[in-house]
Amino acid sequence: MKATRNTPERLILDDTPWFIGIAPARLILAFAGASLDAASTGGETLWFGLGFAAFCLFVRSVRVTLDRPGGSIVIRRQSVFGSSQVEHLLADLSRAEVESATSRSEGRTRTLFSPVLVLDGGLSAGRHPVVEAYTNGGGPHRLAEAINARLPASAAEAQTYGR
């Protein structure tokens, strides 16, 4: 996830998995071409279908907007199947954290991370994941730091932005 806009009034974070989208797209194009060129369409059509299914299932974009003047947090998710939008009050956000999960396979232990928003007040109090996937990179930590840096540091600042 990357900060595409970072001003005192607005923080916009985008996550568009380009690699995950390009790999199945290349598979789709390669096997579609092979299917058109081949006399029989047995195996090539299967690979085309698998590539298309992977593209549809794994390609999702997420945009998180923290809007101080509007006093809102908007989380937009888009995929091939449609889009959804969840809106929370910025005043209800207490902090961003990073959840971790441990994965063990073949004798190796890996720790994966995912950023979450912690809302202490309002109707949507609780922990809300920013993205639906866990990763082993430093992105979730940077995201949580960027969000926490946007939160009011003092009571005077909190009153200015309706917190």
Side-chain angles (χ1 to χ4, degrees):
M1 197 155 233
K2 185 178 185 178
T4 56
R5 185 170 190 182
N6 191 352
T7 65
E9 294 81 27
R10 195 165 285 115
L11 174 64
I12 299 176
L13 304 161
D14 282 315
D15 180 37
T16 304
W18 290 110
F19 176 75
I20 293 173
I22 290 170
R26 289 181 63 179
L27 185 68
I28 291 167
L29 293 174
F31 286 103
S35 293
L36 293 173
D37 192 43
S40 69
T41 59
E44 292 85 1
T45 303
L46 172 69
W47 285 108
F48 171 76
L50 291 175
F52 184 71
F55 183 80
C56 291
L57 291 175
F58 296 117
V59 175
R60 296 184 176 148
S61 67
V62 178
R63 173 176 274 187
V64 178
T65 304
L66 279 73
D67 183 23
R68 278 187 166 180
S72 66
I73 304 166
V74 178
I75 303 172
R76 286 190 188 97
R77 291 183 173 91
Q78 293 181 325
S79 72
V80 173
F81 301 113
S83 63
S84 67
Q85 179 173 309
V86 178
E87 192 166 341
H88 304 286
L89 292 175
L90 186 58
D92 295 339
L93 178 63
S94 64
R95 67 192 173 281
E97 292 181 351
V98 177
E99 287 186 343
S100 64
T102 304
S103 169
R104 291 182 181 88
S105 67
E106 299 177 11
R108 291 182 15 199
T109 302
R110 289 180 18 174
T111 303
L112 304 172
F113 305 99
S114 179
V116 295
L117 300 176
V118 180
L119 303 174
D120 285 339
L123 295 174
S124 51
R127 300 172 69 80
H128 299 272
V130 176
V131 293
E132 297 174 354
Y134 283 75
T135 182
N136 61 353
H141 295 284
R142 287 191 302 273
L143 174 71
E145 289 170 6
I147 292 172
N148 288 332
R150 307 299 297 198
L151 298 176
S154 66
E157 187 179 358
Q159 285 179 341
T160 302
Y161 293 107
R163 207 173 135 84

